[in-house]
Amino acid sequence: MLDLVWLVPAFPLAGFLILTFGGRRLGEPTAGWLATGAMAGSFLATAGAFYELAGRDVHDRRSVTTLFEWVPAGDLTVDVGFLADPLSLTMCLFVTGVGALIHLYSIGYMHGDAGFRRFFAYLNLFAFAMLMLVLGDNLLLTFLGWEGVGACSYLLISFWFTDEANASAGKKAFITNRIGDWGFMVAIFMTFATFGTVAYVDVLDTTAAGTVATSTATVIALMLFVGAIGKSAQFPLYLWLPDAMAGPTPVSALIHAATMVTSGIYLLTRVNPIIADAADWVPTLIAWTGAGTALFAATIAVAQRDIKKVLAYSTVSQLGYMFLAVGCGAYVAAVFHMITHAFFKALLFLGSGSVIHGMDGDQDMAHYGGLRRFMPITAGTFVIGWLAIAGVPPFAGFWSKDEILAFAWNESPLLWAVGLVTAVLTAFYMTRLVILTFFGRHRYADPRPDEVDEAWAAALAAADGAVVAAAAALDAAVAASEAGTDEPAAAEAMVAAKAAHEAATIERDLIVAASGERPELPALALYGEPEVGPVADRLPDEVAARSDHHPHESPWTMALPLVVLAVLSVLGGLIQLPFSSATKRLEGWLEPTLFGNEVHLSVGTGTLWVLAALAVAGGAVGIVVAVAAYLQRRVDHSAFEQPILADAWRFDRLVSNFMGGPGRAGFEATANFDSTVVDGAVESVATMVKVEAGLLRRFHNGLVRTYAAGIGVGAVGLVVWFLSRTSF
Amino acid sequence: MDAAVFLISAAIVLAGAGGVLVARSPVHAALFLVQTLFGVSVLFVLQDATFLAAIQVIVYAGAVVILFLFVIMLLGVDRSEDLGMEPIVGQRPVAALVGASLLGMLLIALLVSVDGPTGAHGANAALGDAADNTRRLGEALFTDYVFAVELTAILLTIAVIGAVVLARKVRGPLAPLPVVVVASATIEDPEAGDGPTDTTDGHAAGEDT
Amino acid sequence: MVVTTSWYLALAAVLFSMGAVGLLTRRNPLIMIMCVELMLNAVNLTFVSLGAELGDLGGQLSVFFVLVVAASEVVVGLAVVVAIMRRRQGATVDDLSVLRG
């Protein structure tokens, strides 16, 4: 079975090809089922390979299946081959498993979309690229998959490309990734230069034997880290992930939660011997980058109103945890968290997709509230996902996060502190999300700020109209009294008209004053309908229409994956329970791939219990504060939702300004350099040839006597030469 | 005695050559050529190459130069060439340089070399005296070198046929020669005085034979 | 004075050079061919002189063949000149620059 491991990427590739070339005839649900079937087949193949690998002896758990030679270029030969070892098969298992669930979900989510078939074709292509990335037995194949997932990410993010913003988001993702890809490419070049090969087996075995210079390993590790930053959305290359939420939610779940973004961590785990041989500051850099990004993203997620943006920043934050683990030498913890994160983050994303689907595309949490009455299954599974990510035992996220925090403490208490604060914030913002979405009052029918403005404007217009009418009546009465026909009646009418005019003016001034003084409508009307004031009857019609809106629960194709993922989120922690080496199954399983580079905890069990308790306490604090702020009105929630956090620390704006300003100047300079200097150098060769030919062609004037002169000169030259060589 | 004859013949030869060089009319040049050929013939006699001297006069001076004169008459190419101007820039200096260099090199090669010519004696045949020259020459030619003689016969035949073909009268009007800017200085005819007709830089319109 | 071979060789050298200069200088094709004849005569003289010095008939044999070939060359050359010069009266060699590149 292991030599059939090529079936694992072959199924989605076949699915992609069939859907691309024969899909038009397949029609809507069939295309989806075909793609899902391909993923399921891939999952079964992985399971078979996994089963066989597990049956092998511990020291024999590495199988390379070469298909054919891909690049025979002199010293560099690269094969298309698959490396089936515990790490790659573990990744394949959850990629194919979660992927199959997401494919099933998409059948319901994308129902009725015009690009249904295209969506599944792209999803399958993505799965193929991701599996090539994971299963490839050399850096170049991994890079092929790396680029492939980047390209598919672009295709899928800008799936609804007719909207300019979506297209831009896709481009942003691709370009930001490209920066990371540069680092990866340099690493490949250096690897080839150092080892003469790019195959993992050779490179890692050679490195583990200790024959690589520290400086070389440092450079390679750093360059791979740059690539990982790009793909796994760490600071400063995280900018694309929040924008990538423009794509359909299953895309966000699959690509930006469970699979593609974990490629960076996979890569770093794969090359752990190189990181171990690098300078000491490299893992420290990785750890601090991860911790910093985790905290950074968590602070931003606190103030977001779009449900998917919260989850996006949450993903960035959790990826930061994984990088923190890698930097602390805790590769098993990183992989563990990767697996559990795949489960609960996919669950959360799919759940949010279900909510968005039920709310007809509205993503603003200000319009949600109390949805658990309408969408019980979604709510129930979402709560499980929430508990998992908040680190509540015994759900999966607690075990993995706690493991990472333990290793962080082992490395540096400061790192642990950052991780703990991030955990508190994670619990806080996730609780906030759950409360805003599923609990409290249903705010969909509330009037919105722009609608209230419209109502006030209407009231003001009406009051102005009344004043104008009263003035006209007054003028009429004055004219009537000056006409002087019916004195007492006319005088009465004039008094009445004057009074009416004054009343209307006073009324109008009151409304103006009220409008000027009216309080700002709260962003989140958590506890009661917002006070609209005297203009309640002037609200536009959409407000009334919305009060009839009932969000609906999702079909079974969407609900089933939610349930499955919820179960996995509950039970996922069982693969690596820290109580004894027997329960640390993941660690034993991954051991052959780690070459002994896994750091050992030097803290005692008592410290571990204390750390665990502190982590749980931190999570509890986050939950309690969020509940107090959003459900119980004990804390003012707007204190947490600072505008600078909502604006993501203005970092995106900084980058845009830089790129549009000096960045653009730099790019244009580079482009000019290319067209003038580089192209000019090439063209100058042609120009030189032309000039020289122009010079030489003067010799060919077609005149016999010139040629005769040439012969004469040549003859003289020959004679001179011969004479100079004879002796006299 | 020999020296006097030699010097006089040498003077005749060189005068004739100089005449060919500077003669403005081709007819004059042909006559000067005859002068040179006579002088060379005398020099042959001095060297006991009597047969060759006779052949020189009969064939060279008698036939070849006559051929020249026939062509001159036929074509009317007896217009004087303007020796004063030289259309190609630098041709005269180059010619002078080439001539001087050749002269210098040849003199060095032929005169200064220590050993001199070192042909094996009697490689072909022994040289007899003047009276015997024809017989010996004939013997050598028609025994040792008979193939070469036959080949030269063929060569002459081919030359004749070629000449006949090349110089045939053409049917139809002849395309004019293209005129090139450089050759603006053609032979100036003192009588007619016409210059080039057009100055297009064209290609030959196909040469008819 | 005894006339040695060197004298003949010197004379031949001068004649050859003069022929070369004339070939490069003159523009009339017929005169150019005559200059070629001058050069050939110089060569003939050299052959005969050296043959006489060495007592070998080979010099004279060579001259014989040079004579024959020169004659045929003149024949063909003049035929070409005739063929070209029919096109235009008073043409010079400088006019034949069709091969100008």
Side-chain angles (χ1 to χ4, degrees):
Chain A
M1 191 61 213
L2 266 179
D3 48 341
L4 292 178
V5 73
W6 57 268
L7 277 178
V8 176
F11 273 115
L13 179 65
F16 164 70
L17 290 172
I18 295 175
L19 283 170
T20 309
F21 295 114
R24 223 173 287 264
R25 276 161 281 171
L26 287 175
E28 196 188 270
T30 321
W33 286 109
L34 181 75
T36 312
M39 287 304 290
S42 193
F43 177 72
L44 290 175
T46 313
F50 178 86
Y51 183 68
E52 183 173 330
L53 194 72
R56 284 198 188 179
D57 180 66
V58 169
H59 302 289
D60 192 29
R61 287 199 186 139
R62 175 201 273 180
S63 157
V64 177
T65 313
T66 308
L67 285 185
F68 56 89
E69 194 176 41
W70 180 24
V71 180
D75 281 339
L76 174 67
T77 52
V78 181
D79 300 331
V80 168
F82 300 109
L83 172 64
D85 73 353
L87 179 62
S88 55
L89 284 184
T90 310
M91 295 246 355
C92 282
L93 271 179
F94 79 77
V95 165
T96 53
V98 175
L101 288 172
I102 294 178
H103 277 70
L104 178 62
Y105 179 92
S106 307
I107 299 176
Y109 191 81
M110 299 298 287
H111 170 69
D113 193 291
F116 189 85
R117 171 184 67 92
R118 180 167 62 104
F119 184 76
F120 281 98
Y122 289 161
L123 272 189
N124 266 11
L125 182 66
F126 170 84
F128 166 71
M130 186 69 202
L131 290 168
M132 291 302 287
L133 192 161
V134 170
L135 280 174
D137 74 338
N138 56 70
L139 276 170
L140 204 59
L141 259 187
T142 300
F143 190 62
L144 172 83
W146 195 270
E147 296 286 284
V149 297
C152 292
S153 168
Y154 161 77
L155 290 171
L156 285 165
I157 291 174
S158 49
F159 187 71
W160 294 310
F161 54 81
T162 45
D163 186 350
E164 175 84 39
N166 297 340
S168 297
K171 277 186 282 185
K172 186 171 180 177
F174 192 74
I175 292 172
T176 317
N177 261 321
R178 216 73 188 104
I179 300 173
D181 293 348
W182 163 81
F184 198 142
M185 279 193 265
V186 171
I188 296 180
F189 301 153
M190 282 229 51
T191 309
F192 175 63
T194 313
F195 297 94
T197 170
V198 290
Y200 285 129
V201 172
D202 301 321
V203 168
L204 296 177
D205 285 349
T206 312
T207 316
T211 55
V212 179
T214 308
S215 51
T216 316
T218 306
V219 175
I220 297 179
L222 265 182
M223 287 295 117
L224 288 174
F225 177 55
V226 168
I229 292 182
K231 194 62 86 180
S232 297
Q234 296 298 293
F235 189 89
L237 297 177
Y238 72 93
L239 295 167
W240 60 274
L241 193 58
D243 283 23
M245 296 299 118
T249 311
V251 168
S252 308
L254 180 62
I255 297 183
H256 307 125
T259 47
M260 184 178 104
V261 292
T262 56
S263 334
I265 294 128
Y266 165 75
L267 181 70
L268 290 179
T269 310
R270 171 63 78 200
V271 298
N272 62 76
I274 298 181
I275 298 180
D277 267 2
D280 284 337
W281 53 267
V282 171
T284 314
L285 174 69
I286 299 177
W288 275 104
T289 307
T293 309
L295 186 59
F296 179 79
T299 54
I300 299 175
V302 165
Q304 297 298 311
R305 267 177 54 168
D306 185 334
I307 188 173
K308 282 179 72 175
K309 285 270 196 319
V310 176
L311 293 175
Y313 283 109
S314 173
T315 304
V316 174
S317 182
Q318 297 300 310
L319 290 169
Y321 268 115
M322 295 180 219
F323 272 85
L324 170 60
V326 167
C328 295
Y331 297 101
V332 174
V335 174
F336 186 28
H337 198 59
M338 193 171 19
I339 299 172
T340 57
H341 177 261
F343 296 151
F344 59 68
K345 192 47 72 62
L347 170 61
L348 289 170
F349 263 111
L350 294 184
S352 72
S354 181
V355 167
I356 295 169
H357 186 259
M359 295 292 291
D360 294 325
D362 193 341
Q363 293 181 235
D364 191 351
M365 287 196 288
H367 307 154
Y368 289 176
L371 289 181
R372 72 179 195 279
R373 290 187 289 276
F374 302 105
M375 313 168 82
I377 303 180
T378 307
T381 52
F382 205 95
V383 162
I384 294 178
W386 160 60
L387 290 174
I389 194 175
V392 174
F395 294 90
F398 162 71
W399 304 106
S400 55
K401 196 182 295 190
D402 195 57
E403 183 125 348
I404 295 179
L405 287 177
F407 278 94
W409 174 266
N410 190 42
E411 175 79 17
S412 148
L414 193 55
L415 275 177
W416 172 83
V418 172
L420 183 67
V421 171
T422 311
V424 174
L425 286 174
T426 307
F428 175 79
Y429 66 68
M430 284 311 297
T431 315
R432 166 179 178 263
L433 190 148
V434 168
I435 293 174
L436 285 178
T437 310
F438 294 108
F439 293 88
R441 49 178 295 273
H442 188 52
R443 293 181 292 279
Y444 192 64
D446 287 352
R448 296 185 189 160
D450 52 329
E451 289 162 349
V452 172
D453 287 339
E454 221 180 292
W456 276 102
L460 213 56
D464 279 338
V467 168
V468 167
L474 185 59
D475 288 338
V478 167
S481 76
E482 277 174 4
T485 44
D486 193 356
E487 279 282 347
E492 251 184 63
M494 205 163 84
V495 168
K498 234 191 197 148
H501 180 248
E502 271 199 42
T505 312
I506 291 174
E507 184 88 21
R508 197 265 314 270
D509 290 340
L510 275 178
I511 290 187
V512 167
S515 161
E517 286 172 6
R518 67 182 155 127
E520 187 91 14
L521 214 62
L524 293 170
L526 294 170
Y527 309 113
E529 278 228 21
E531 281 293 315
V532 181
V535 296
D537 47 343
R538 293 201 191 273
L539 290 170
D541 294 331
E542 298 95 59
V543 181
R546 283 206 299 271
S547 58
D548 292 334
H549 172 255
H550 292 296
H552 54 276
E553 182 59 271
S554 306
W556 74 269
T557 49
M558 290 167 68
L560 179 64
L562 291 176
V563 172
V564 173
L565 286 171
V567 171
L568 287 171
S569 297
V570 174
L571 300 177
L574 290 175
I575 59 176
Q576 174 80 352
L577 294 175
F579 300 118
S580 71
S581 53
T583 54
K584 289 190 189 174
R585 298 206 184 93
L586 187 63
E587 187 169 328
W589 171 244
L590 285 179
E591 195 223 322
T593 63
L594 292 178
F595 298 92
N597 290 322
E598 176 85 2
V599 163
H600 294 291
L601 279 179
S602 59
V603 291
T605 325
T607 320
L608 286 177
W609 277 106
V610 170
L611 292 174
L614 282 174
V616 172
V621 164
I623 296 176
V624 163
V625 172
V627 165
Y630 290 97
L631 204 53
Q632 294 174 337
R633 214 187 234 186
R634 283 209 212 121
V635 177
D636 182 17
H637 64 85
S638 53
F640 300 109
E641 294 173 10
Q642 298 292 329
I644 190 171
L645 295 181
D647 207 9
W649 296 96
R650 297 203 197 102
F651 186 68
D652 201 1
R653 196 162 307 184
L654 189 73
V655 171
S656 302
N657 288 342
F658 174 72
M659 287 299 160
R664 158 160 266 150
F667 304 147
E668 280 175 8
T670 313
N672 283 338
F673 180 80
D674 180 53
S675 63
T676 52
V677 174
V678 176
D679 284 354
V682 172
E683 281 167 23
S684 74
V685 173
T687 314
M688 262 196 326
V689 170
K690 203 170 81 159
V691 164
E692 280 168 19
L695 285 174
L696 285 175
R697 102 185 226 287
R698 297 218 199 129
F699 283 111
H700 280 271
N701 56 7
L703 296 172
V704 176
R705 295 202 289 143
T706 316
Y707 299 157
I711 293 174
V713 169
V716 167
L718 265 178
V719 173
V720 166
W721 191 72
F722 275 116
L723 276 186
S724 67
R725 294 169 69 81
T726 57
S727 55
F728 289 102
Chain B
M1 174 61 184
D2 267 358
V5 175
F6 173 83
L7 286 170
I8 295 172
S9 316
I12 293 173
V13 165
L14 289 177
V20 170
L21 247 55
V22 301
R24 290 173 64 213
S25 157
V27 176
H28 297 166
L31 293 174
F32 278 119
L33 184 65
V34 173
Q35 178 182 334
T36 304
L37 295 173
F38 266 126
V40 172
S41 175
V42 170
L43 289 170
F44 281 170
V45 170
L46 273 181
Q47 309 248 344
D48 287 342
T50 49
F51 181 71
L52 281 181
I55 292 299
Q56 172 95 346
V57 173
I58 296 170
V59 171
Y60 243 133
V64 171
V65 177
I66 299 302
L67 188 57
F68 268 110
L69 289 170
F70 265 125
V71 170
I72 291 170
M73 302 308 168
L74 176 65
L75 285 184
V77 204
D78 56 342
R79 290 167 202 197
S80 305
E81 191 176 320
D82 180 3
L83 285 178
M85 66 105 75
E86 164 65 68
I88 300 178
V89 176
Q91 183 79 354
R92 295 254 166 102
V94 170
L97 195 66
V98 168
S101 316
L102 271 177
L103 185 60
M105 295 305 134
L106 285 171
L107 287 177
I108 291 173
L110 293 172
L111 302 179
V112 177
S113 50
V114 169
D115 296 325
T118 58
H121 284 264
N124 294 295
L127 198 60
D129 57 2
D132 211 17
N133 185 255
T134 309
R135 187 183 66 82
R136 283 181 186 265
L137 205 53
E139 261 180 13
L141 271 177
F142 287 100
T143 55
D144 292 331
Y145 298 103
V146 66
F147 284 125
V149 170
E150 299 300 324
L151 278 176
T152 51
I154 295 173
L155 176 65
L156 282 169
T157 314
I158 293 171
V160 166
I161 296 172
V164 168
V165 166
L166 280 170
R168 258 188 320 179
K169 271 262 194 241
V170 192
R171 262 174 238 153
L174 290 166
L177 268 180
V179 182
V180 181
V181 177
V182 162
S184 54
T186 54
I187 303 173
E188 275 188 22
D189 182 24
E191 299 116 57
D194 52 300
T197 45
D198 57 296
T199 52
T200 53
D201 188 18
H203 304 286
E207 298 229 330
D208 301 311
T209 49
Chain C
M1 281 180 301
V2 178
V3 178
T4 61
T5 316
S6 320
W7 293 32
Y8 287 101
L9 295 180
L11 175 62
V14 173
L15 188 57
F16 187 87
S17 311
M18 289 174 79
V21 169
L23 183 59
L24 291 176
T25 309
R26 300 304 302 252
R27 289 196 294 279
N28 193 323
L30 293 166
I31 299 183
M32 287 170 84
I33 297 179
M34 290 180 208
C35 293
V36 174
E37 295 307 312
L38 285 181
M39 292 202 281
L40 286 169
N41 271 287
V43 169
N44 286 349
L45 192 55
T46 310
F47 268 127
V48 168
S49 312
L50 291 173
E53 176 183 338
L54 294 174
D56 192 357
L57 204 53
Q60 298 187 11
L61 287 172
S62 307
V63 171
F64 181 84
F65 287 111
V66 168
L67 212 59
V68 169
V69 175
S72 52
E73 167 222 332
V74 166
V75 162
V76 174
L78 286 178
V80 170
V81 167
V82 163
I84 290 174
M85 293 311 174
R86 272 216 193 101
R87 302 290 172 107
R88 179 158 44 132
Q89 303 296 335
T92 67
V93 161
D94 287 343
D95 295 334
L96 306 172
S97 61
V98 169
L99 285 180
R100 182 188 181 82

